[in-house]
Amino acid sequence: MFDPFTGEAIVDGTVRTHYAAVQLGLEPPRFCAQCGRRMIVQIAPDGWWARCSRHGTVDSVMSEQR
């Protein structure tokens, strides 16, 4: 497991505190939570989507932020 905002490996379930935009749900994930690879991110006025080359696409509809 990897932190989707920093790309760091999550060890023993500990996640460091994120900055305010992430906590408010305004920042899309930049890294794949499964493999830690950098994702292609597209931000639109009504939401965002992010695509990992190995694990597919996630978007703001899936995380109920749209």
Side-chain angles (χ1 to χ4, degrees):
M1 295 290 303
F2 294 87
D3 185 314
F5 301 102
T6 63
E8 298 174 355
I10 298 174
V11 180
D12 298 329
T14 57
V15 177
R16 65 187 187 114
T17 305
H18 295 109
Y19 45 93
V22 172
Q23 293 176 353
L24 292 172
L26 302 174
E27 184 71 22
R30 304 290 179 169
F31 297 88
C32 180
Q34 295 177 3
C35 66
R37 289 178 175 267
R38 187 101 167 127
M39 295 193 293
I40 298 169
V41 178
Q42 177 69 49
I43 300 172
D46 65 340
W48 53 263
W49 60 262
R51 182 174 49 232
C52 173
S53 62
R54 293 197 176 173
H55 297 104
T57 303
V58 295
D59 66 10
S60 54
V61 173
M62 292 176 178
S63 61
E64 298 177 1
Q65 294 178 358
R66 193 183 280 184

